[in-house]
Amino acid sequence: MSKTTRVNYDAIAPTYDQRTQGGYLEGVTLALQNLARQVKAQRVLDLGCGTGRSLRGLADNFQPSPTCYGLDFSGGMLQQAQRFDARYRLVNASAPCPPFVPASFDLIFCVHAFHHFPDKPQVVQAAYRILRPGGIFAIVNFDPYESRHNWYVYDYFEGVYETDLRRFPRLAELEAMLIQTGFQHVSQTMVEHISDTIMGEAIFDNYFLRKDSNSQLILLSDEAYQTGLARMRARLAEAKANGENIAFQTEIKNWMCYGLKPI
Ligand SMILES: C[S@@+](CC[C@H](N)C(=O)[O-])C[C@H]1O[C@@H](n2cnc3c(N)ncnc32)[C@H](O)[C@@H]1O
């Protein structure tokens, strides 16, 4: 079982971008570009920006390129972001307390980071405060409540699914949080469907099975991680004995939940 929910991103920052060697999430990038266009973004903020992958997708493909701010708790992740683009304005801070004056941004977004934040309603309130009227706040994440039977990691590593239920709010909760804070036109859209099937032993070459590849496995003790791998090997051996092949499935939908700060 996982005991902590805090991931040390400094430790994995140098290898973090290996997870998108096959290309960054194109649907997420397009959705962010659409929002940037809608608000005619001149100043954008990525909360929990990590190595700046989403900022890169936005800045490289949206003209005129907005001034890009990134905020992250991990100095190591920010160092990687700065290496990619020295123009990023990077801030080492915690998302519930962004050090910006009111009405600083046209667009604020948060990709695969919201579940890490300690006080989620406080983050939404802070985003509201530092957005200009007419600006948009968007959260991109997946909802583990709808992925229970669709990700092999949940099947083989004990406690991971339960930990995710504690970390990730349901999509409906996110919507409610935005509405309660004062956002209007709150809606959600599916922006990226990751679908992958890996057959048999090839699963052990899958990057996402590496312990340092995602927060779900990072949060496991070494012992729990090894137990999960052993469970997979046993299942494969059993299938082989029966002349069967095992399919390891990944079906993850990334949703964008967003709202407009009224004018
Ligand atoms: C899974 S990474 C996502 C990074 C990036 N948004 C992306 O899509 O690649 C989560 C990021 O959230 C950051 N983070 C975690 N807790 C935070 C907090 N309280 N305030 C700011 N950033 C935080 C981590 O340091 C890490 O860089």
Side-chain angles (χ1 to χ4, degrees):
M1 275 288 280
S2 310
K3 295 209 168 49
T4 169
T5 54
R6 187 70 183 269
V7 177
N8 179 1
Y9 274 98
D10 284 342
I12 59 166
T15 58
Y16 181 81
D17 280 339
Q18 286 180 16
R19 65 172 72 186
T20 45
Q21 265 169 355
Y24 186 51
L25 305 168
E26 197 183 336
V28 174
T29 303
L30 287 174
L32 291 175
Q33 286 170 14
N34 279 340
L35 294 185
R37 211 165 289 122
Q38 210 174 308
V39 296
K40 299 186 172 52
Q42 293 179 6
R43 287 162 62 96
V44 304
L45 170 65
D46 184 352
L47 281 177
C49 65
T51 57
R53 299 183 308 173
S54 302
L55 283 176
R56 240 173 287 156
L58 193 62
D60 293 351
N61 301 295
F62 183 77
Q63 293 300 328
S65 186
T67 307
C68 291
Y69 287 76
L71 177 149
D72 203 283
F73 201 63
S74 157
M77 295 293 265
L78 291 178
Q79 266 176 20
Q80 297 297 319
Q82 197 78 79
R83 274 185 349 144
F84 281 108
D85 197 327
R87 291 168 304 174
Y88 292 159
R89 301 180 183 192
L90 301 173
V91 179
N92 195 188
S94 188
C97 306
F100 299 104
V101 296
S104 293
F105 298 100
D106 307 295
L107 173 65
I108 300 177
F109 57 85
C110 173
V111 180
H112 296 164
F114 196 74
H115 56 291
H116 290 291
F117 299 157
D119 186 333
K120 294 172 177 59
Q122 196 182 327
V123 175
V124 178
Q125 286 154 20
Y128 189 90
R129 193 173 59 247
I130 62 179
L131 264 179
R132 64 144 164 98
I136 288 179
F137 177 47
I139 299 168
V140 176
N141 229 344
F142 78 98
D143 181 347
Y145 289 85
E146 66 166 23
S147 312
R148 174 66 182 109
H149 300 293
N150 299 322
W151 191 20
Y152 72 88
V153 168
Y154 286 156
D155 295 334
Y156 290 93
F157 294 90
E158 199 182 326
V160 167
Y161 182 63
E162 290 70 20
T163 301
D164 271 4
L165 293 186
R166 287 196 297 274
R167 298 193 301 156
F168 287 76
R170 286 174 196 268
L171 206 45
E173 285 174 60
L174 278 184
E175 273 195 332
M177 229 181 272
L178 262 62
I179 291 167
Q180 261 167 23
T181 305
F183 285 102
Q184 291 181 352
H185 305 290
V186 173
S187 52
Q188 43 169 284
T189 176
M190 212 262 286
V191 289
E192 190 100 37
H193 183 179
I194 299 165
S195 178
D196 196 18
T197 303
I198 298 176
M199 299 303 296
E201 299 279 340
I203 193 64
F204 295 113
D205 299 326
N206 183 221
Y207 173 76
F208 290 98
L209 188 55
R210 270 175 48 170
K211 177 128 177 36
D212 63 353
S213 70
N214 56 67
S215 65
Q216 283 78 8
L217 296 180
I218 290 169
L219 289 171
L220 287 177
S221 66
D222 287 343
E223 193 190 352
Y225 175 64
Q226 291 302 333
T227 302
L229 290 181
R231 199 171 282 134
M232 292 171 77
R233 280 191 214 99
R235 182 73 189 96
L236 281 164
E238 183 191 333
K240 196 173 176 186
N242 294 332
E244 298 166 3
N245 206 352
I246 299 286
F248 293 94
Q249 212 80 37
T250 301
E251 292 285 342
I252 292 180
K253 290 176 184 162
N254 280 289
W255 293 89
M256 176 183 273
C257 179
Y258 59 102
L260 181 102
K261 177 170 175 172
I263 296 177

